[in-house]
Amino acid sequence: MDKVYTLVLLCTVVILTACNANSIDDDSELGGPLINTLELTDSYSQTVDYPDDVAAINATIAAGEFDVVVEAADGAFYVNFMLNDERIAHGGISFYNDNCGSGSCSIAITCRFTTEVKMSCGSIGEDYPGNPETDVSLMVIALPMEAYIVVQVCNAAHTNCTYKYQAIQLQ
């Protein structure tokens, strides 16, 4: 009986640990560069900076544009924006990335969600081949859709990364 109880207790601890690993809201627990600010202004000009407040991104309003502000502490070198149906960085579709440099990272950029179900940020087109529109239709099954913009910031070696998310509704 003691072996069964020990096994059940061990399995419970493993399951709870695995669940908590996917629900970290405080990126400082992950050991990478600290993200001080993640702020999103949606298609309706509403600014949200609390992760679970929903920002509405509408492809038919203002050309689907929305603004993202990210500020990360020293040690941040690389930033990646992803669309995900979960609050985590793993499994998302990357639609923008950039090198911040060797110091702190500060980005204020306009992004867009198109009626062709593509996402991008900054300047796109022939003159910017390294920044194409990204097809996100594999994740966007129907509109409206609840999802997350996940911002990941990494050190120069990409060995320590942290992330924060912002809840959105794609319309």
Side-chain angles (χ1 to χ4, degrees), residues 5-61:
Y5 177 75
T6 303
L7 182 60
V8 168
L9 182 61
L10 180 61
C11 288
T12 302
V13 169
V14 168
I15 290 170
L16 289 175
T17 302
C19 289
N20 286 338
N22 288 333
S23 64
I24 295 173
D25 293 336
D26 179 4
D27 59 9
S28 63
E29 294 180 32
L30 298 173
L34 181 66
I35 299 173
N36 297 320
T37 302
L38 171 56
E39 181 180 281
L40 194 142
T41 302
D42 68 12
S43 299
Y44 301 91
S45 299
Q46 300 296 312
T47 300
V48 293
D49 59 3
Y50 184 74
D52 293 314
D53 286 348
V54 178
I57 299 172
N58 190 316
T60 63
I61 295 177

Side-chain angles (χ1 to χ4, degrees), residues 87-127:
R87 297 175 176 151
I88 59 175
H90 180 70
I93 297 175
S94 176
F95 63 91
Y96 175 78
N97 58 67
D98 196 8
N99 290 328
C100 298
S102 58
S104 60
C105 184
S106 181
I107 294 176
I109 195 163
T110 298
C111 301
R112 68 204 55 77
F113 173 62
T114 70
T115 56
E116 291 83 25
V117 195
K118 295 180 179 181
M119 293 185 90
S120 61
C121 295
S123 298
I124 58 171
E126 294 177 13
D127 295 335

Side-chain angles (χ1 to χ4, degrees), residues 40 66 82-83 95 119 147-151 164-166 168:
L40 194 142
F66 59 99
M82 293 169 270
L83 176 68
F95 63 91
M119 293 185 90
Y148 301 92
I149 299 288
V150 180
V151 175
K164 284 195 182 273
Y165 68 89
Q166 178 59 58
I168 61 169

Side-chain angles (χ1 to χ4, degrees), residues 83-85 91-94 113 116-119 134-143 145-147 170:
L83 176 68
N84 205 341
D85 56 359
I93 297 175
S94 176
F113 173 62
E116 291 83 25
V117 195
K118 295 180 179 181
M119 293 185 90
T134 301
D135 183 348
V136 293
S137 62
L138 289 176
M139 185 161 297
V140 180
I141 297 166
L143 295 176
M145 178 186 164
E146 303 294 322
L170 295 173

